[in-house]
Amino acid sequence: MTRSVYVTGTDRGDGRQVIELGVMELLTRHVDRVGVFRPLVHDHGPDRLFDLLRSRYRLGQAPESVYGLTYGEASALQAERGMDELVSALVERFLAVAREYEYVLVLGTDFAATNVPDELALNARLANEFGASVITVVGGQDQAAEAVRAEAANAYRAYEALGCDVVALVVNRVAPADRAAVAEGLAAHLPVACYALPEDGSLSAPTVAQIVRKLGAEVLLGDDAGLNRDVRDFVFGGAMLPAFLPALTEGCLVVTPGDRTDLIIGALAAHSAGAPPIAGLLLTLDERPGPSILALAGRLAPGTPVISVPGGSFPTAAELFAVEGKLNAASPRKSETALGLFERHVDTAELTNRISVARSSRVTPMMFEHELIERSRSGRRRVVLPEGTEERVLRAADVLLRRDVCDLTLLGEEEAIRKRAAELGIDLSEAQLIDPQTSPLRERFAELYARVRAHKGMTVELAHDVVADVSYFGTLMVQEGLADGMVSGAVHSTAATIRPAFEIIKTAPGAQIVSSVFFMCLADRVLVYGDCAVNPDPNAEQLADIAIQSAATAAQFGVEPRIAMLSYSTGTSGSGADVDKVRKATEIVRERRPDLLVEGPIQYDAAVDASVAATKLPGSEVAGKATVLVFPDLNTGNNTYKAVQRSAGAVAVGPVLQGLRKPVNDLSRGALVQDIVNTVAITAIQAQGEQRP
């Protein structure tokens, strides 16, 4: 039976989209097929929130199936045939969605300029008719704590009195100083899960792109990243430059007549220096700088938006103050902020239980990625990122910080990191920045490295230069407990990333070698491939070590290990040096770890396909259902993972290094931002299994 949850409110302005996004995040962690239904819409045009949910969660639902009726259609139907007929029509549309999905998220009406009488009662009745649990959202913006508590209690009682199964009440946009008091007061007086989320100005702050659309502005300079910056303040330029510069604030949009080239260049120069980073410039009066000034502006602050409007500053100001930021598919950073806010202040495990989300038997790539984020957040660790000026690393850091996944340290020249972050509109205030060249830790690390490598003739003087390298510095931070793990490789080679780990951190007790796995996220399951990145031609002992390490890694990330030792032959059907190596490795695994399920030698098809396994190895506990696939050499493993990734559309997460005393992970130099986010989350989870010094 399809289950559903109905997110509704009592009035407009409650910021309910944050809650709806957070609930969808919870659902997609556990359920493969989630549908969306909005009973009433203002028109049949594109829906901003559904477009966001569809793009973020890869929903295949047709947009036309999401909506019930327009408010106009609903009003006409109610007037002509009565409320029962209106409800019946909406129930029929809802059931059409429910038949196609395991769980349906229902987005309640928005209470915005509608002609439907008693919208609260309509939402309550629809929730009851849909058989949906209800999450009630109340806005607390600009209200005292006591007033917010009273309004929230009244909202709960109103929906409960109408027969709704209210499973949670969320008060949103509360003054940060009142958040704890509001949450505690509600929890003490209401028999339902109560959560309070503080007001976050960055969510209501418009992006430059939203201002461009609202004002019909012309973009003179700026890239997509710059246009996606949040505008947190407006600074109107009329003074001379010495008085103007101190008025700039972080994230402000500078509004000035287009002929004030001194203010334009001054603001961009200040941004380039990171003091402070601005969102962009809006030029008024239809005045534009000449080509030489625009060219200089583009060189001073690449990507920073410069936009132009024909009106003067006063009418432009009136329009600007009316623009409010909205969650949409074009502002992914706002979505990360919203989810971070939701997950910090909502007990997601409790809410998941209350809305009765049963975990699907399938594990999709998205579900696996969600699980990584959730687990890494549950036991906070610090991860060091040596490539602190690399754009992809900075964008990944932005996501990780907004989602509150872990603590971060970025290495590199601090001014260069801040400047690059400012150009990208990224806030690094919650990250630690360290320059290995100037850090006081350099002397301490030089002495430590000289001791570790004394047998190779290393001296403190030579070590002083070695440890200034970001990879060595980051590795030494991990070794000394100043970070719990390290992720590098977006611009450095694998050797540059893992050589310091071999020299300083070394292998874990019981591990003969360092190896790697990829988590291969197929449409309906996760497989573990090893070793596809480190060891070119392991011998039988090393291959057994890889299998045992891979099984442990699989178990750590929720994959029950059933090991297939792969070869071109299955069972006793083949012979030769390569097959014999795999056969011997399998015997070693069984001797060292009799508790593990292992089969080998076995061909790939017999390992993963039950029908093939029934013919080639009937009765095997592994054949046909292997989860850990160990390749005989790097050539086979690397080519196979890439073939599966490209041909089957699998998401490959990794490589994940294993066998080190402390976690260090290598990135592909072609890694995408989401790859880096996933690898950092994996590293944090690996560190949760380590003892802190």
Side-chain angles (χ1 to χ4, degrees), residues 368-602:
F368 184 74
E369 291 175 347
H370 287 334
E371 182 70 14
L372 293 180
I373 297 297
E374 184 68 14
R375 287 188 58 191
S376 59
R377 186 188 291 113
S378 67
R380 199 166 189 84
R381 293 292 187 266
R382 177 172 294 278
V383 178
V384 58
L385 306 175
E387 299 157 326
T389 57
E390 163 61 27
E391 178 177 339
R392 289 167 294 158
V393 171
L394 286 168
R395 293 195 184 281
D398 189 35
V399 172
L400 292 160
L401 293 171
R402 287 173 184 267
R403 294 291 302 277
D404 202 31
V405 172
C406 62
D407 296 322
L408 292 178
T409 298
L410 279 73
L411 301 184
E413 184 185 351
E414 185 171 344
E415 183 178 345
I417 294 173
R418 293 195 184 281
K419 179 179 179 181
R420 188 66 180 123
E423 290 169 354
L424 298 170
I426 291 170
D427 179 10
L428 293 179
S429 59
E430 297 299 317
Q432 180 187 40
L433 307 184
I434 296 179
D435 184 352
Q437 298 284 344
T438 60
S439 171
L441 291 170
R442 186 174 178 181
E443 299 300 328
R444 169 181 163 185
F445 287 174
E447 293 176 3
L448 172 62
Y449 185 69
R451 288 198 304 272
V452 170
R453 302 293 288 174
H455 64 290
K456 295 291 187 179
M458 182 60 60
T459 65
V460 173
E461 291 74 19
L462 292 172
H464 191 263
D465 291 332
V466 173
V467 302
D469 177 87
V470 290
S471 295
Y472 276 92
F473 194 94
T475 304
L476 284 157
M477 286 188 69
V478 175
Q479 175 64 16
E480 289 294 276
L482 302 173
D484 299 298
M486 184 178 89
V487 173
S488 188
V491 292
H492 290 90
S493 67
T494 295
T497 298
I498 65 177
R499 185 186 298 113
F502 289 164
E503 294 178 0
I504 298 164
I505 294 175
K506 302 182 179 177
T507 56
Q512 296 183 15
I513 57 173
V514 173
S515 62
S516 73
V517 296
F518 279 88
F519 290 99
M520 301 299 295
C521 304
L522 305 175
D524 59 351
R525 55 185 161 162
V526 176
L527 300 178
V528 178
Y529 283 11
D531 174 7
C532 304
V534 179
N535 297 285
D537 189 17
N539 60 33
E541 286 279 351
Q542 292 170 332
L543 200 59
D545 201 50
I546 291 168
I548 292 169
Q549 290 179 16
S550 300
T553 301
Q556 186 179 19
F557 288 90
V559 177
E560 182 182 352
R562 293 186 291 274
I563 309 167
M565 307 294 287
L566 298 176
S567 176
Y568 60 78
S569 171
T570 294
T572 59
S573 65
S575 62
D578 292 337
V579 179
D580 291 342
K581 178 180 80 169
V582 175
R583 184 175 290 114
K584 183 178 179 182
T586 305
E587 293 169 357
I588 294 170
V589 173
R590 287 175 176 149
E591 290 170 4
R592 289 176 54 188
R593 291 292 304 276
D595 57 306
L596 292 175
L597 295 177
V598 60
E599 190 70 72
I602 185 172

Side-chain angles (χ1 to χ4, degrees), residues 233-474:
D233 192 9
F234 300 109
V235 173
F236 294 85
M240 299 304 290
L241 189 61
F244 167 73
L245 288 177
L248 294 177
T249 58
E250 186 170 333
C252 71
L253 181 68
V254 174
V255 183
T256 184
D259 59 358
R260 290 295 305 270
T261 55
D262 57 332
L263 301 187
I264 296 168
I265 297 301
L268 292 173
H271 170 84
S272 180
I278 65 173
L281 291 101
L282 191 160
L283 311 182
T284 61
L285 298 175
D286 214 17
E287 293 281 346
R288 293 124 189 261
S292 61
I293 296 297
L294 281 177
L296 175 59
R299 289 194 297 272
L300 269 176
T304 298
V306 178
I307 62 178
S308 174
V309 295
S313 295
F314 184 78
T316 299
E319 289 187 88
L320 286 173
F321 288 122
V323 181
E324 186 175 6
K326 301 288 185 183
L327 293 175
N328 59 42
S331 56
R333 289 169 56 208
K334 282 189 185 297
S335 299
E336 302 296 350
T337 300
L339 286 171
L341 194 70
F342 181 87
E343 291 161 343
R344 276 193 295 274
H345 300 289
V346 171
D347 185 334
T348 55
E350 178 187 43
L351 185 57
T352 300
N353 183 57
R354 285 182 172 271
I355 60 178
S356 302
V357 182
R359 183 174 291 277
S360 173
S361 59
R362 288 160 48 95
V363 179
T364 67
M366 183 176 295
M367 290 165 69
F368 184 74
E369 291 175 347
H370 287 334
E371 182 70 14
L372 293 180
I373 297 297
E374 184 68 14
R375 287 188 58 191
S376 59
R377 186 188 291 113
S378 67
R380 199 166 189 84
R381 293 292 187 266
R382 177 172 294 278
V383 178
V384 58
L385 306 175
E387 299 157 326
T389 57
E390 163 61 27
E391 178 177 339
R392 289 167 294 158
V393 171
L394 286 168
R395 293 195 184 281
D398 189 35
V399 172
L400 292 160
L401 293 171
R402 287 173 184 267
R403 294 291 302 277
D404 202 31
V405 172
C406 62
D407 296 322
L408 292 178
T409 298
L410 279 73
L411 301 184
E413 184 185 351
E414 185 171 344
E415 183 178 345
I417 294 173
R418 293 195 184 281
K419 179 179 179 181
R420 188 66 180 123
E423 290 169 354
L424 298 170
I426 291 170
D427 179 10
L428 293 179
S429 59
E430 297 299 317
Q432 180 187 40
L433 307 184
I434 296 179
D435 184 352
Q437 298 284 344
T438 60
S439 171
L441 291 170
R442 186 174 178 181
E443 299 300 328
R444 169 181 163 185
F445 287 174
E447 293 176 3
L448 172 62
Y449 185 69
R451 288 198 304 272
V452 170
R453 302 293 288 174
H455 64 290
K456 295 291 187 179
M458 182 60 60
T459 65
V460 173
E461 291 74 19
L462 292 172
H464 191 263
D465 291 332
V466 173
V467 302
D469 177 87
V470 290
S471 295
Y472 276 92
F473 194 94

